[in-house]
């Protein structure tokens, strides 16, 4: 297949591009490299030394003999160029990672909220409008998030996108299947909830074939392809905005920083290893909906854990100390989470578990690159409201105390 | 109260501004005048001769002694100016009409789809982000649409925003109240569905006080204030994109054009007179939710009718002929619609009915200004898909035949 990977320079986009190229697909990365600009804005960098996208593609060609094409394009702002690009390349599938993807970044200031909504909604909608206008019947695979479901405990397992409900009618009770009622917990998550409505409309009105992957929190760094050459390595974010919780615990352990748990740590979240992510995308591509079918929704996750349990797991493995901090987010202190992921399991997914993979990450990645960490970027300081901002701990290490 | 009316130069915005000014409120219209630009783009004009907003405000001052302030500002594009405006003026309430509001226009071409999403989503979100950032605790009243519910017949009355459902859980059946599952039928309606999610988030995360009015199709032209001077007259759209169905029937009757019914005319829709709209906004302002409360949703409509029944009603009244045409929209041929509007009735709304108001509209407006109608702008030609576009009737009058 000819596959466009929008946002193919990112944390999941890059290993996905390698994985699909390795399977023999013709891969085109379309990216505006905004994530690299945000590194510059925040003054942070990937823990792993990351080459330019052009250099990455050159090394991949050298290692595998396969070409990955790169196209610099801003999906959200360059609608006409996007349309022309689609008309010129006629992809069989489009994988859409091209959205600002950090909840804390989306809540940092009003400017970041406005950017996230403007960028993410227009990126998705421009893509949909351009597919309709060019008449290209590509299978669109979108990276959503488990966060669209929200994390209030309803006491029932979270289904894959659609919920069976009953309502009262004058003729008695009646069953309906609806999109799971969304309860996003940040501006970022909210944009993925908006995406769902966009997809529902374009699948119904225009017969677009769309798969939406509600992904859990990704952990890990390497995939089979990123391991093949030092310069193919994936990015690894550890800062308070872009670092995901488990990867942050790993680097905190590696540099003798406390494992920072926010609130009670009773938040239960869904997780998936990066290697399983790219495998899921391969599986989703093989199982496209038909024209006129509703949006196909998968839960792309393999395990659920409470945050404090993960901290304890990493602490036991590494001897690190756990520190409980005020929560910069507005969210429930504690929640249960049971998630259905039968569809990917039935398609053959064989998950990598935390128990088996975690130690390798600490040794291969966190410790290896620990010298590149800027400790001052580790705290999570983007607060969900101004009131919450007042109680955020900007210095969990207590350097001030040490300096006395 | 000091009230900002965003989009206060529009079809409902203008009479609302007059109505609130007449009640003694300090009214500030904030508008980028985009609706006037779209008239220019489409080569259409209001049936009624409409003065500039500055002139309208001058006449109102002369007639009533009250000042309506006008501020030229693009809500979707000028975030920093919006924030400054709010900080400077500190409104007690903000009424938000500032969105592209025609379904056919939103489906006209891909450019119109992209514009509608970009404009409407950013307008609403900029406003929300700016209210949070400035800390202004204004009551936000938003004009939504009945179209967010969709028009599939579920066999139960449509509640005011929230639906009681039951779900299966391992511990037995459990009741939940959810936002009514949305099923928008056009890109325009979809943006109002997206607005709902934005409102839900900002009410929950930031305690914004928000009322969302799911309005039916508006008919009529005059309110008590627009009648006070010829130059205070409201706009009246009759073209295929912006004209609402009943107002279009009235002008079609006035100029001897067939009453154009699309499809079977079995679409049931909700209606409300423009005078009742402005009264509803007054009522909504008086009944603001408290900080921390969920979004308050009203159904702002007073009657439901099938489109073909309305055509017959106007035909009987005027002797006009009814013409059945292919439907440019993708929608169900026939639907039932029962809508709850108990909240406005209990607040004292006393609706104007079609039966009592329709004839006055024909005589006072449609016939009076019939000489200003461009017949070539009457057909509704914006098609929902390219396939549908092929069967759209661009010439319901059959001028080609007449020319033989």
């Amino acid at each position: 297949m000819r596959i466009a990977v929008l946002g193919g320079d990112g944390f999941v986009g890059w290993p996905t591009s390698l994985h699909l190229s390795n399977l023999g697909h013709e891969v085109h990365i379309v990216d505006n490299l905004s994530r690299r600009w945000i590194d510059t804005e925040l003054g942070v960098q990937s823990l792993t030394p990351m080459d330019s996208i052009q250099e990455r593609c050159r090394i991949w060609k050298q290692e595998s003999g396969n070409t990955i094409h790169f196209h610099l394009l801003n999906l959200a702002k360059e609608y006409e160029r996007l349309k022309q690009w689609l008309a010129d390349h006629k992809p069989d599938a489009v994988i859409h990672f091209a959205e600002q993807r950090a909840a804390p970044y989306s809540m940092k200031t009003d400017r970041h909220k406005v950017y996230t909504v403007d960028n993410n909604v227009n990126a998705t909608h421009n893509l949909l409008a351009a597919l309709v206008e060019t008449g290209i019947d590509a299978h669109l695979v979108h990276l959503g998030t488990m966060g669209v479901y929200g994390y209030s405990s309803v006491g029932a397992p979270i289904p894959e996108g659609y919920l069976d409900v009953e309502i009262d009618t004058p003729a008695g009770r009646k069953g309906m299947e609806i999109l799971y009622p969304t309860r996003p917990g940040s501006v970022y998550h909210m944009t993925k909830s908006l995406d769902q409505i966009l997809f529902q409309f374009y699948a119904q009105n225009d017969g677009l074939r769309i798969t939406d992957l509600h992904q859990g929190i990704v952990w890990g760094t390497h995939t089979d392809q990123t391991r093949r050459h030092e310069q193919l390595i994936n990015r690894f974010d550890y800062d308070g905005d872009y670092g995901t919780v488990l990867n942050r615990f790993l680097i905190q352990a590696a540099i003798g920083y406390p494992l920072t748990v926010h609130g009670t740590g009773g938040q239960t979240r869904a997780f998936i290893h990066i290697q399983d992510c790219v495998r899921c995308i391969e599986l989703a591509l093989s199982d496209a909906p038909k024209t006129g079918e509703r949006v196909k929704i998968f839960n792309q996750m393999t395990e659920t854990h409470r945050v404090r349990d993960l901290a304890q797991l990493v602490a036991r493995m590494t001897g690190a100390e756990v520190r409980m901090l005020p929560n910069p987010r507005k969210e429930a202190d504690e929640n249960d989470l049971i998630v259905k992921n039968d569809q990917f399991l039935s398609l053959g997914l064989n998950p990598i578990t935390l128990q088996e993979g975690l130690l390798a990450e600490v040794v291969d990645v966190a410790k290896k690159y620990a010298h590149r960490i800027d400790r001052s970027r580790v705290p999570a300081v983007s607060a969900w409201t101004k009131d919450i901002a007042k109680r955020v701990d900007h210095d969990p290490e207590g350097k001030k105390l040490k300096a006395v």
Side-chain angles (χ1 to χ4, degrees), chain A residues 125-142:
Chain A
H125 184 255
N126 281 351
L127 176 61
L128 294 164
L131 285 171
V132 171
E133 191 58 22
T134 56
I136 290 172
D137 182 33
H139 176 203
L140 171 57
V141 177
H142 171 255

Side-chain angles (χ1 to χ4, degrees), chain A residues 305-326:
Chain A
H305 295 280
R306 277 187 203 277
V307 170
R308 64 172 171 251
D309 296 338
L310 288 181
Q312 292 302 342
L313 180 69
V314 175
R316 278 197 305 274
M317 208 161 57
T318 63
E321 167 208 1
V322 175
R323 182 79 53 85
M324 310 303 279
L325 298 181

Side-chain angles (χ1 to χ4, degrees), chain A residues 4-58:
Chain A
V5 184
L6 314 180
D9 187 44
F11 173 49
V12 188
W14 174 242
T16 298
S17 300
L18 293 177
H19 185 77
L20 296 174
S21 177
N22 190 60
L23 291 170
H25 297 296
E26 180 185 325
V27 173
H28 293 261
I29 290 177
V30 178
D31 201 307
N32 69 346
L33 307 182
S34 58
R35 185 66 193 83
R36 292 177 188 254
W37 157 247
I38 291 173
D39 276 346
T40 306
E41 173 200 350
L42 298 178
V44 299
Q45 57 187 5
S46 167
L47 176 70
T48 50
M50 185 175 58
D51 282 9
S52 74
I53 182 64
Q54 294 87 345
E55 180 69 3
R56 285 171 147 188
C57 292
R58 187 183 70 81

Side-chain angles (χ1 to χ4, degrees), chain A residues 29-308:
Chain A
I29 290 177
V30 178
D31 201 307
N32 69 346
L33 307 182
S34 58
R35 185 66 193 83
R36 292 177 188 254
W37 157 247
I38 291 173
D39 276 346
T40 306
E41 173 200 350
L42 298 178
V44 299
Q45 57 187 5
S46 167
L47 176 70
T48 50
M50 185 175 58
D51 282 9
S52 74
I53 182 64
Q54 294 87 345
E55 180 69 3
R56 285 171 147 188
C57 292
R58 187 183 70 81
I59 301 288
W60 176 246
K61 173 80 176 177
Q62 172 189 301
E63 289 299 307
S64 70
N66 299 336
T67 301
I68 293 180
H69 307 268
F70 169 64
H71 310 267
L72 186 68
L73 193 151
N74 186 327
L75 198 57
K77 297 290 177 199
E78 299 182 294
Y79 176 73
E80 291 299 328
R81 281 192 66 217
L82 167 65
K83 198 163 62 168
Q84 191 58 53
W85 191 91
L86 289 171
D88 290 345
H89 292 86
K90 297 184 179 54
D92 303 299
V94 176
I95 306 174
H96 174 28
F97 295 102
E99 297 182 271
Q100 193 294 101
R101 60 100 172 151
Y105 184 84
S106 79
M107 301 300 287
K108 209 168 182 62
T109 70
D110 58 335
R111 178 172 71 78
H112 295 90
K113 295 175 191 177
V114 165
Y115 166 74
T116 299
V117 168
D118 184 34
N119 183 73
N120 290 8
V121 174
N122 279 319
T124 298
H125 184 255
N126 281 351
L127 176 61
L128 294 164
L131 285 171
V132 171
E133 191 58 22
T134 56
I136 290 172
D137 182 33
H139 176 203
L140 171 57
V141 177
H142 171 255
L143 263 282
T145 166
M146 288 292 303
V148 301
Y149 298 122
Y151 293 110
S152 56
S153 302
V154 297
I158 293 184
E160 303 205 60
Y162 297 94
L163 181 66
D164 289 315
V165 301
E166 283 195 355
I167 61 168
D168 267 330
T169 79
R173 297 192 72 71
K174 187 180 159 183
M176 285 170 71
E177 191 183 57
I178 62 173
L179 262 180
Y180 195 93
T182 191
R183 273 279 171 193
S186 76
V187 165
Y188 155 71
H189 291 100
M190 183 177 72
T191 63
K192 301 283 187 175
S193 301
L194 303 183
D195 285 342
Q196 283 203 113
I197 309 287
L198 299 176
F199 295 143
Q200 174 185 269
F201 176 77
Y202 277 89
Q204 171 193 302
N205 193 72
D206 298 287
L208 292 191
R209 298 182 297 123
I210 304 173
T211 297
D212 202 2
L213 304 175
H214 289 344
Q215 188 169 258
I217 298 171
V218 182
W219 65 281
T221 320
H222 292 307
T223 63
D224 293 342
Q225 288 77 44
T226 65
R227 276 199 192 86
R228 286 171 64 173
H229 189 287
E230 176 71 21
Q231 285 178 270
L232 295 176
I233 199 164
N234 198 12
R235 64 177 301 138
F236 181 113
D237 301 301
Y238 66 85
D239 64 283
D241 286 320
Y242 277 87
T244 53
V245 56
L246 190 51
N247 280 0
R248 278 164 53 76
F249 287 159
L250 298 178
I251 64 97
Q252 287 171 335
I255 63 173
Y257 198 101
L259 308 185
T260 52
V261 173
H262 298 105
T264 66
Q267 308 94 329
T268 309
R269 294 293 180 268
F271 293 87
I272 183 167
H273 189 273
I274 184 78
Q275 177 72 63
D276 288 334
C277 289
V278 303
R279 171 82 170 126
C280 282
I281 287 163
E282 175 196 346
L283 295 172
L285 280 173
S286 71
D287 196 40
K290 294 185 183 60
T291 303
E293 250 181 67
R294 70 176 190 191
V295 177
K296 186 171 279 193
I297 301 177
F298 292 87
N299 290 338
Q300 185 161 311
M301 51 68 66
T302 58
E303 306 178 57
T304 61
H305 295 280
R306 277 187 203 277
V307 170
R308 64 172 171 251

